[in-house]
Amino acid sequence: MAQTSKMGRSTGGFKMTEMVHGPLPVEVRDPILPRWWRTVDRWTMASVLFLFIFGLILALAASPPLAERNNLDAFHYVHRQAVFGGLALLAMTITSMMSPDTVRRWATVGFGCALLALILLPIFGTDFGKGATRWYSFGFASVQPSEFIKPVFVVFSAWLISASFEPGGPPGRMMSFAVAVVIAGFLALQPDFGQASLILFSWGVMYFCAGAPLLFILSMAAATVLAGFVAYNYSEHFARRIDGYMAADVDPNTQLGYAANAIQEGGLFGVGTGEGSVKWSLPDAHTDFIIAVAAEEYGVLMVLVILGLFAVIVLRTLARLVQERNLFVRLAGTGLVSMFGVQAMINMGVAVRLLPAKGMTLPFVSYGGSSLIAGGIALGMILALTRSRPQGALSAVMRGY
């Protein structure tokens, strides 16, 4: 009887509360798609989509001569770019729906797999006659591990660096530096100095944002100069590219010569769709020198539009990261978008001879399955890390978390 009386009073209390304050609220979570669409940066997504569309347009202009030389259908490479680009956009969308913790977990697993693939590359890889062992060939397609290790390395390193700020945390900054040096060393052995430079650059950006001491930054700059000196004296591949860049006159029969002439011929509005000639001379017109095709056939205006799209992605991402209070998210997002922007800058800088030739694609514009899909994963990570979410207390910023 006493228990019944207590239950009655309890039930009556709930009823009285409902009468006075209304029914107790029930937490209802939004479906994942509406919540994702509401929180994701749609300007960045739109910019990526436009870059991919421009890439298809330029593939239509640049790839038919290569297909003809290889006795393939005229639009063989266009079709492949459309397929790989579709997979890249799908990978970007799926990855962008993840939480930062999920991004970190999958990136850690992906980093282990990509590092193993990079280590085994000298044994099982191929160079396709280009003098650099960078690919695994499967007959119907090839995979370039260096493209996939870049985004997962950034996230893995950001996790290590952020963990070093926790009480009793590991020496994450030194561990991440050791990992960066190992990866850069394996890339240099291919040789692929461009990707090795990107790895070290992205790590340096994250370490700087985490509060690197000035003496260490100066030491890194000195080590970079020393590494360049050693590479120039002991790598014929590296020395040849530096000599070509430093030459007073550009040999008109080299890739840099063809690209420079194409950009001059294009002028402001270009020579017209399909009227360019550089695609018949440049073997890498559809990949490393795609911007030269854009400048020749569509003029400086298209180049400026492409530049603007890259700027939107970089600036929008950085603007969102400024408001972020989670150290891991800030470091990983900054490292990813810095790598993305600098890769685009290097590709276009090579075409106008501001930088020595690097053999680096223009993200989402150049042809290449590995580049497109890895770029989609990287942009998906950026979108996932910059989605609008409740922030922690302001005091967390002062503690570095």
Side-chain angles (χ1 to χ4, degrees):
M1 290 292 293
Q3 290 180 351
T4 304
S5 177
K6 289 179 181 178
M7 291 178 60
R9 287 197 300 270
S10 175
T11 305
F14 280 122
K15 289 182 178 179
M16 181 63 68
T17 301
E18 289 185 8
M19 290 174 61
V20 176
H21 300 287
L24 295 175
V26 178
E27 183 180 358
V28 179
R29 294 181 63 86
D30 292 340
I32 186 170
L33 284 178
R35 186 169 69 252
W36 166 78
W37 182 248
R38 189 174 62 250
T39 56
V40 77
D41 185 2
R42 294 189 287 272
W43 281 94
T44 296
M45 290 192 67
S47 298
V48 173
L49 182 60
F50 277 114
L51 284 175
F52 172 58
I53 292 172
F54 281 131
L56 284 179
I57 293 172
L58 294 174
L60 284 167
S63 64
L66 178 65
E68 182 179 313
R69 288 194 293 269
N70 294 333
N71 297 316
L72 298 169
D73 176 73
F75 300 111
H76 171 80
Y77 295 104
V78 179
H79 295 153
R80 288 174 67 87
Q81 175 133 342
V83 171
F84 289 134
L87 292 174
L89 293 175
L90 178 62
M92 180 185 75
T93 303
I94 293 174
T95 307
S96 69
M97 295 181 181
M98 297 179 180
S99 67
D101 286 341
T102 305
V103 169
R104 175 179 55 77
R105 294 188 189 103
W106 279 107
T108 302
V109 174
F111 174 75
C113 297
L115 181 59
L116 180 62
L118 193 65
I119 293 172
L120 297 177
L121 195 59
I123 303 173
F124 301 105
T126 182
D127 64 354
F128 289 112
K130 295 186 177 182
T133 306
R134 301 177 182 175
W135 298 270
Y136 286 105
S137 177
F138 300 100
F140 63 92
S142 60
V143 176
Q144 188 174 354
S146 61
E147 293 288 353
F148 291 94
I149 202 169
K150 290 185 298 184
V152 292
F153 160 77
V154 168
V155 176
F156 181 70
S157 293
W159 176 42
L160 288 176
I161 295 173
S162 61
S164 68
F165 286 89
E166 297 177 2
R173 285 176 284 187
M174 291 308 300
M175 292 169 64
S176 64
F177 175 65
V179 171
V181 171
V182 169
I183 294 173
F186 277 109
L187 290 172
L189 290 175
Q190 295 182 3
D192 192 345
F193 296 103
Q195 303 287 20
S197 300
L198 272 183
I199 289 290
L200 294 175
F201 171 80
S202 61
W203 180 87
V205 168
M206 289 187 292
Y207 193 66
F208 177 79
C209 292
L214 181 60
L215 180 60
F216 185 84
I217 295 175
L218 295 176
S219 300
M220 282 289 295
T224 301
V225 173
L226 179 61
F229 177 79
V230 172
Y232 181 82
N233 284 279
Y234 292 95
S235 172
E236 182 182 349
H237 174 82
F238 186 84
R240 186 171 58 251
R241 293 197 169 189
I242 295 297
D243 289 340
Y245 170 70
M246 296 297 292
D249 297 318
V250 180
D251 185 348
N253 296 318
T254 62
Q255 293 193 102
L256 289 176
Y258 290 129
N261 182 67
I263 293 171
Q264 292 173 2
E265 291 292 327
L268 187 61
F269 299 104
V271 298
T273 304
E275 299 299 322
S277 60
V278 70
K279 58 194 175 187
W280 296 97
S281 307
L282 273 175
D284 295 324
H286 63 309
T287 54
D288 300 352
F289 289 91
I290 193 70
I291 202 70
V293 177
E296 184 181 32
E297 299 204 358
Y298 299 98
V300 174
L301 289 180
M302 173 175 268
V303 176
L304 292 176
V305 171
I306 293 174
L307 273 170
L309 292 172
F310 280 110
V312 167
I313 295 172
V314 173
L315 295 177
R316 290 280 305 181
T317 300
L318 292 177
R320 287 193 164 218
L321 289 172
V322 166
Q323 305 171 21
E324 180 59 54
R325 297 178 182 176
N326 182 291
L327 181 59
F328 162 72
V329 172
R330 291 204 310 271
L331 295 178
T334 302
L336 287 168
V337 77
S338 298
M339 177 181 287
F340 176 81
V342 168
Q343 180 170 337
M345 183 185 72
I346 290 175
N347 177 277
M348 291 184 277
V350 167
V352 297
R353 210 190 171 204
L354 286 175
L355 296 168
K358 292 288 185 183
M360 200 172 291
T361 57
L362 187 61
F364 279 97
V365 179
S366 296
Y367 171 83
S370 295
S371 175
L372 281 167
I373 295 175
I377 294 172
L379 263 297
M381 290 177 173
I382 290 173
L383 290 168
L385 295 172
T386 57
R387 283 173 57 187
S388 302
R389 63 177 64 86
Q391 300 295 322
L394 184 60
S395 59
V397 180
M398 307 305 295
R399 295 197 306 268
Y401 295 102

